[in-house]
Amino acid sequence: MKSIHPPHISAPWRRFPLRNQHAGVTPEHPALFNLDCIEGAHRHLKNDSTDLILTDPPYGIDGTGLERLYSRSPDRIEEGYVDVHRTEYAHFTRRWIAQAERILRPGGSIYIVSGYTHLLEILQALRDSSLEEINHIIWKYSFGLHTTRKYVSSHLHILYYSKPGGTPTFNRNARFSEKDQDADGHSHLYRDLEDVWTLPREYKPGRSRNQNELPWGLLAKIIQYSSHPGDIVADLFLGSFSTAKVARAMNRSIVGFEVNPSHFEKKRLEVEQIEPGSLLKDLPRGHDDAPRRRRKRWTDEELDRLVTRFLEIRSGGRNKGEAIHSLTDEFERGRFAIRNALKRRGL
């Protein structure tokens, strides 16, 4: 997937109707708070008020020290990163996930990005809640954790859950159409929907960054699949404010919390400089071009006609794959459906 970078302020944008205008939050007016998310959500967010939560909680690695683990120079790490001690992590996690569960609307989705150190505590807190698992995604990235006595750690976990009581938003064709293929005939959509994602970390030579800053491409992918323009997207641990920036650039309404006071105002102003919707034109976009008769039962008459047409095409010198591909439009069904139907007739 191509790298996605912050858009220029002058980039054109398209205005969309808003689906959720809770507490006056719109793409043009984000609600960002320099508060602990547990206290902040309790004070500022109503029950069932958020469409999507996308967040990256503290890693809880002995308080701090991520610059050592990821070979980053301390002077390139933004000051004030607030971690959670490992002895307090389970209690802390249960409390913020309880707030996330409360503020999500029925059918709302939550994506939690986590390393392996405290993955168990996060999973246990999720299992103790009413939230339901949809996917456990693995994000494989480059420039992993340097090691000498064990395998290199080069992945993070993305836990995708939803709140019961409604249908989760999942825009299957937001990024690719059913028939989009690469030069080798492989489906772009299938690969994009696999639960192992290979996306590079963003390399920022000579520039300061947050301890665990996520790439724009990963955030945009999640937001495309699991929200609509105007939806409220919440980040309970703003950190680098990347989620807020991407959400605003995708014309979503953003709510977020960041306890670190040292860079809050600077990052808040950076979010406000993003033109709402300015990233949309740079994102991959698909449409629902699924066959009209997908999942419909074959009649005996259709199967007879399919066999006849398949043999006619093959007799003209085309191979089996080409014959099946040419029949998809004629029979308004996918390649797998046609292949399986032919197998039933011994072909």
Side-chain angles (χ1 to χ4, degrees):
M1 177 180 153
K2 68 178 182 178
S3 297
I4 298 175
H5 302 287
H8 297 295
I9 296 172
S10 60
W13 61 284
R14 176 183 174 191
R15 190 180 296 273
F16 290 85
L18 301 182
R19 289 167 16 102
N20 192 334
Q21 300 193 47
H22 167 68
V25 180
T26 69
E28 293 83 2
H29 299 97
L32 306 175
F33 302 93
N34 190 192
L35 291 170
D36 167 80
C37 67
I38 299 169
E39 173 192 357
H42 178 73
R43 285 169 52 183
H44 294 285
L45 298 183
K46 298 178 181 178
N47 295 351
D48 306 331
S49 61
T50 304
D51 298 293
L52 170 66
I53 297 174
L54 171 50
T55 199
D56 182 17
Y59 283 142
I61 304 176
D62 294 328
T64 58
L66 288 177
E67 70 276 2
R68 173 179 57 82
L69 289 173
Y70 289 98
S71 302
R72 295 178 188 159
S73 173
D75 62 353
R76 298 299 182 190
I77 299 296
E78 293 176 345
E79 296 181 358
Y81 179 82
V82 179
D83 212 333
V84 178
H85 196 275
R86 62 182 182 277
T87 60
E88 302 170 355
Y89 204 90
H91 178 63
F92 166 76
T93 300
R94 286 195 297 271
R95 293 181 66 208
W96 76 255
I97 285 181
Q99 286 297 321
E101 177 184 14
R102 179 184 66 81
I103 66 175
L104 268 180
R105 65 167 174 81
S109 299
I110 179 170
Y111 289 76
I112 304 170
V113 182
S114 172
Y116 62 84
T117 306
H118 293 288
L119 179 64
L120 179 61
E121 286 95 329
I122 295 175
L123 286 171
Q124 188 60 56
L126 287 167
R127 288 166 183 164
D128 290 341
S129 74
S130 69
L131 300 174
E132 299 175 343
E133 181 179 0
I134 298 179
N135 283 108
H136 186 143
I137 299 163
I138 298 298
W139 168 32
K140 165 68 175 68
Y141 55 79
S142 52
F143 306 110
L145 173 62
H146 178 69
T147 60
T148 57
R149 297 184 179 181
K150 64 177 183 178
Y151 299 110
V152 173
S153 178
S154 60
H155 75 277
L156 289 175
H157 304 262
I158 303 176
L159 309 175
Y160 171 28
Y161 282 65
S162 69
K163 185 171 179 175
T167 302
T169 296
F170 193 76
N171 305 310
R172 176 181 171 87
N173 298 115
R175 292 163 50 82
F176 296 102
S177 301
E178 302 288 337
K179 297 180 182 179
D180 287 344
Q181 297 179 350
D182 63 19
D184 296 323
H186 298 129
S187 168
H188 284 303
L189 178 61
Y190 179 85
R191 288 188 172 181
D192 206 49
L193 291 178
E194 288 183 313
D195 60 6
V196 177
W197 299 355
T198 302
L199 291 164
R201 286 182 177 271
E202 291 176 352
Y203 182 51
K204 296 184 176 182
R207 295 164 56 191
S208 64
R209 57 176 293 174
N210 190 260
Q211 295 261 26
N212 50 340
E213 186 171 340
L214 299 176
W216 280 51
L218 182 143
L219 298 169
K221 177 174 179 173
I222 292 172
I223 292 171
Q224 276 186 285
Y225 277 124
S226 288
S227 72
H228 300 285
D231 278 358
I232 289 184
V233 178
D235 185 354
L236 303 184
F237 305 95
L238 283 164
S240 63
F241 285 54
S242 292
T243 298
K245 293 174 183 177
V246 175
R248 181 177 169 98
M250 295 177 65
N251 216 44
R252 271 64 171 177
S253 307
I254 183 70
V255 175
F257 303 92
E258 174 53 46
V259 71
N260 178 6
S262 64
H263 70 188
F264 178 84
E265 188 61 22
K266 173 189 172 184
K267 293 296 182 182
R268 186 188 68 79
L269 292 174
E270 288 178 2
V271 172
E272 291 192 355
Q273 290 175 351
I274 300 292
E275 190 73 40
S278 54
L279 186 59
L280 294 173
K281 64 182 179 59
D282 297 322
L283 297 174
R285 183 173 299 180
H287 63 277
D288 185 2
D289 60 350
R292 190 175 64 86
R293 296 187 59 77
R294 180 176 58 177
R295 297 194 181 95
K296 291 191 175 182
R297 183 183 296 275
W298 290 86
T299 66
D300 289 337
E301 180 183 349
E302 282 181 304
L303 289 172
D304 291 342
R305 185 163 60 89
L306 175 67
V307 169
T308 300
R309 290 289 296 123
F310 175 75
L311 294 175
E312 288 175 353
I313 295 171
R314 291 284 281 132
S315 67
R318 301 172 73 178
N319 63 36
K320 183 175 182 178
E322 292 171 338
I324 290 174
H325 180 73
S326 68
L327 292 169
T328 56
D329 289 337
E330 181 177 344
F331 285 85
E332 297 180 307
R333 298 180 186 268
R335 288 178 297 164
F336 289 113
I338 291 176
R339 188 185 303 274
N340 289 336
L342 290 170
K343 283 183 179 180
R344 288 162 54 187
R345 289 299 180 97
L347 296 171

